[in-house]
Amino acid sequence: MTLRVVIMGVSGCGKSSVGEGLAARLGIPYRDGDDLHPAANVAKMRAGIPLTDADRWPWLDAVAAVLAQEAPVIVGCSALRRAYRDRIRDGAGGAVRFIHLSGSREVIAARMAARKGHYMPVALLDSQFATLEPPGPEEALTVRIDQPLPRLIDSLLPALQGEMP
């Protein structure tokens, strides 16, 4: 089995930090889904305009292409709705492991307010939570983000190391 992992959750939950940390520990690449957005999507988000499904489909297809072509790989992608996760799975052409980073709006808003240089404003956080369809245990491994990053990464390693080729 080739490891294909999507670190998912609302903006500001730590997808990049967790994804980079896991990738480093597993010795595989990490790709940030933010880098796969078309310029028009980034411009909308920077302007405080939530994305529509029509905006997201090409981006989700790009995420799926990375999973299909670059595996083993970890990708950070919000994957907020089940339909988005299904699209990623279908496009990746193989099994995809989703890890949902879950946290309170207050914790995530504070993290977003503290980060510098990101195009996603805190003002869009409510739209992210409104769109989120939390995955069930049959669809994703859900972990709470209210723990130190090294501990969070350590807690995920056993589930992923068993899937390494």
Side-chain angles (χ1 to χ4, degrees):
M1 175 182 207
T2 302
L3 188 62
R4 295 176 175 98
V5 178
V6 172
I7 307 295
M8 63 161 288
V10 299
S11 183
C13 69
K15 294 182 293 290
S16 298
S17 297
V18 172
E20 289 170 357
L22 277 174
R25 294 282 298 275
L26 293 169
I28 64 175
Y30 171 75
R31 294 286 304 272
D32 197 319
D34 287 345
D35 298 336
L36 301 173
H37 271 293
N41 285 8
V42 174
K44 280 181 88 168
M45 289 182 283
R46 186 171 277 130
I49 302 167
L51 298 180
T52 66
D53 284 354
D55 296 324
R56 287 185 177 104
W57 297 133
W59 172 62
L60 295 166
D61 292 341
V63 168
V66 166
L67 291 161
Q69 297 165 10
E70 299 181 22
V73 66
I74 296 173
V75 179
C77 172
S78 56
L80 297 174
R81 293 181 53 223
R82 184 173 193 113
Y84 304 163
R85 297 186 291 273
D86 290 345
R87 179 107 172 202
I88 290 168
R89 266 191 228 86
D90 291 346
V96 176
R97 182 75 183 263
F98 287 88
I99 297 173
H100 175 216
L101 303 181
S102 177
S104 72
R105 187 204 181 285
E106 294 73 27
V107 167
I108 294 171
R111 288 181 179 189
M112 288 179 78
R115 67 184 181 184
K116 305 287 185 240
H118 198 280
Y119 56 80
M120 184 68 141
V122 177
L124 288 180
L125 185 56
D126 288 335
S127 73
Q128 291 264 299
F129 273 105
T131 304
L132 177 64
E133 295 173 359
E138 76 291 345
E139 190 181 7
L141 173 61
T142 297
V143 294
R144 299 283 310 162
I145 63 169
D146 54 356
Q147 58 184 307
L149 181 61
R151 185 182 318 151
L152 194 155
I153 291 169
D154 286 346
S155 75
L156 294 171
L157 284 171
L160 300 178
Q161 287 172 325
E163 297 180 28
M164 290 295 291

